[in-house]
Amino acid sequence: MIARGGAVRYGCAMQRPVGIDLISFHTPAYYLALDTLAGVRGADPAKYHVGIGQDRMSIPPPDQDIVTLAANAAAPLLAKSGTENIGHVLFATESCIDLSKAAALFCHGLLGLPPRCRCVELKEACYAGTAALKLACEVVRNHPDERVLVLASDVARYDLGSPGEPTQGAGAVAMLVSADPRVFAIEPECGFHAEDIMDFWRPTYRTEALVEGKYSTRMYLSTLRSAWEGYKAASGRGLADHARFCFHLPFTKIAFKAFDRLCRFEGIEAPAMEEQEALLSPATWYNRQTGNTYAACLYESLCSLLDTAEEDLSDKRVGMFSYGSGCMAEYYAGRVVPGYRAHLFAAEHKKMLEERTELTYRQYEDIYTYGIPQDGDSHLMAPYRSGPFRLAGLENHKRRYERAE
Ligand code: CAA
């Protein structure tokens, strides 16, 4: 049934819950501190830490790309759950490495997934991760014995010295979607909004995105209203029905702007900043440390919330807002499954973030300007610190990946 404002309500009360059974996140082992960037660009560091709410940005070395980031995110999850009954791999990205072959197929090979598997790549800027997750839920509702692997992986790149530069980042999230999930049950009601605009885009001949930064932020916040209204019409719920919120995080300050808007839409005075910090910050810690991970952002935020919130979130409803430039927005919610903590990768995520190597500005710029060889000759990639998978080299315009450990 479709109601006003893109509101959608599905199904019958007897359906088995569907959602995220396991979720794991991976980011490169290298970062640039935004204090370092501020020094070189002559910016006040507080503009980055406070003004946009970012501390570090993850930098992928030349032997990491969206395929290895995604495979590295999925490896621990599959080690725990096995590969049986995975009938789909849905790969969401806006940093594609091939205009024809789906990155899902490279991952399918690296991860040893069954041949009876539908592998595709999805694109709609940062919204694609949500599109993939929602499609996965539909597949599982129709085939409850099947599991779907959703991979969201991106490398956020803007021109050097541009306003977008301090919001760069890289990372991937892997989610196993199943019936009777152990971590996050996704509720069917949602509201969404589509509009043909040019706020952020990347023509096929460019490796860096182009962006109308302020306009994109305004559109993010105005489409939040349509998506929220649609969700309210579909669910009959209000703000008080939500214990926590995860927002798409191109920079973490936007979570506070978005929450403030939700309060205003509802005619409620936003709580004091201290209270907002307690409510919203756990869902921003990881993103503060990695920068924008585009399609993976919202689910990195969910990982951050589940891993770091001190309070037991069992049975709590979490509101989820997804925005992809161009533009597509969706608001939906899910419930945290009791006992979820036993199924998280919180210790692994903490270790990964703590053990990263800091780059100097010169090292960052060297990596930034290193272009992947385009001559079709044989090239071996020097090994950097990576996860289990790395790009070993190129030959005849083909990427060759390998297990690093
Ligand atoms: N101390 C504290 N705060 C400071 C400060 C200081 N010394 N100096 C500036 N600030 C504050 C400003 O007041 C401003 O705060 P408000 O937004 O609350 O007004 C904030 O820091 C940003 O400063 P500017 O207004 O000067 O903005 P900017 O020119 O640096 O650009 C940006 C900011 C537009 C976000 C830019 O980083 C950008 O273009 N980023 C890429 C695009 C983007 O992330 N868009 C978001 C929506 S689109 C989307 O979500 C899809 C996606 O993933 C890309």
Side-chain angles (χ1 to χ4, degrees):
M1 169 186 130
I2 300 194
R4 95 187 135 79
V8 177
R9 187 195 292 276
Y10 298 93
C12 66
M14 297 305 289
Q15 273 180 339
R16 284 164 72 182
V18 161
I20 301 171
D21 188 49
L22 292 173
I23 180 166
S24 163
F25 138 77
H26 184 84
T27 197
Y30 301 90
Y31 72 89
L32 184 71
L34 290 192
D35 284 340
T36 306
L37 187 67
V40 176
R41 298 284 177 247
D44 179 350
K47 173 171 176 178
Y48 297 157
H49 299 304
V50 183
I52 59 172
Q54 293 301 128
D55 296 336
R56 295 174 173 182
M57 56 194 202
S58 286
I59 308 294
D63 68 344
Q64 290 286 299
D65 63 15
I66 52 160
V67 168
T68 62
L69 293 173
N72 288 334
L77 185 153
L78 297 180
K80 197 164 178 174
S81 76
T83 58
E84 305 77 42
N85 302 340
I86 296 182
H88 286 71
V89 179
L90 305 180
F91 196 115
T93 189
E94 56 187 296
S95 327
C96 79
I97 49 140
D98 194 298
L99 289 171
S100 177
K101 179 171 172 173
L105 279 161
F106 289 106
C107 289
H108 177 272
L110 290 172
L111 297 166
L113 293 168
R116 187 202 157 276
C117 194
R118 196 175 270 139
C119 298
V120 290
E121 189 168 308
L122 291 95
K123 180 180 68 177
E124 185 350 67
C126 310
Y127 173 73
T130 296
L133 179 63
K134 290 308 201 80
L135 287 172
C137 289
E138 289 308 306
V139 168
V140 174
R141 275 194 190 99
N142 288 328
H143 306 281
D145 295 330
E146 192 165 301
R147 299 186 298 164
V148 177
L149 180 62
V150 171
L151 301 171
S153 180
D154 265 313
V155 176
R157 270 175 74 93
Y158 299 94
D159 286 324
L160 291 177
S162 69
E165 185 185 29
T167 68
Q168 293 177 129
V173 170
M175 296 177 271
L176 204 51
V177 177
S178 74
D180 306 317
R182 289 174 283 179
V183 172
F184 193 58
I186 292 173
E187 296 177 316
E189 300 84 5
C190 56
F192 42 86
H193 178 99
E195 199 171 327
D196 177 9
I197 60 164
M198 293 297 279
D199 60 333
F200 167 106
W201 65 105
R202 182 165 72 83
T204 47
Y205 49 81
R206 281 184 62 98
T207 50
E208 292 78 38
L210 297 166
V211 62
E212 298 285 343
K214 300 264 160 56
Y215 175 49
S216 68
T217 304
R218 281 201 308 277
M219 287 309 294
Y220 175 115
L221 295 170
S222 75
T223 58
L224 170 63
R225 176 163 217 156
S226 318
W228 169 250
E229 294 293 344
Y231 168 78
K232 263 182 35 173
S235 66
R237 297 185 198 117
L239 266 193
D241 296 303
H242 298 77
R244 298 286 180 143
F245 299 88
C246 290
F247 297 99
H248 168 59
L249 296 176
F251 51 94
T252 68
K253 178 79 175 290
I254 208 161
F256 294 84
K257 290 177 188 281
F259 180 69
D260 183 68
R261 288 296 171 102
L262 284 180
C263 293
R264 278 204 253 161
F265 304 154
E266 295 304 287
I268 299 167
E269 198 179 328
M273 195 33 95
E274 212 170 276
E275 215 177 303
Q276 287 190 45
E277 287 279 354
L279 180 75
L280 301 173
S281 291
T284 66
W285 295 132
Y286 290 176
N287 306 68
R288 254 187 180 275
Q289 303 300 315
T290 64
N292 198 346
T293 55
Y294 291 162
C297 251
L298 177 60
Y299 302 96
E300 179 182 342
S301 167
L302 180 63
C303 264
S304 182
L305 172 66
L306 297 173
D307 287 358
T308 68
E310 283 174 21
E311 173 197 359
D312 181 358
L313 296 174
S314 292
D315 260 334
K316 302 272 193 240
R317 178 175 289 116
V318 180
M320 306 284 289
F321 177 64
S322 183
Y323 178 78
S325 289
C327 73
M328 198 53 236
E330 178 164 344
Y331 188 99
Y332 70 95
R335 270 188 187 272
V336 181
V337 179
Y340 70 101
R341 279 187 165 144
H343 308 293
L344 300 177
F345 295 89
E348 290 85 344
H349 294 154
K350 186 168 184 283
K351 185 166 183 290
M352 175 178 66
L353 286 169
E354 282 175 358
E355 292 182 353
R356 291 187 298 166
T357 302
E358 181 173 354
L359 299 177
T360 62
Y361 177 80
R362 178 55 51 204
Q363 288 169 324
Y364 153 65
E365 204 176 292
D366 284 349
I367 292 177
Y368 180 96
T369 48
Y370 176 88
I372 198 98
Q374 298 186 4
D375 55 12
D377 280 352
S378 294
H379 295 277
L380 289 179
M381 307 301 276
Y384 290 79
R385 288 182 59 208
S386 69
F389 297 104
R390 65 179 292 270
L391 176 65
L394 291 98
E395 195 163 1
N396 288 334
H397 299 288
K398 294 176 193 162
R399 289 185 189 229
R400 191 168 57 75
Y401 295 99
E402 68 181 7
R403 192 172 252 284
E405 312 159 356

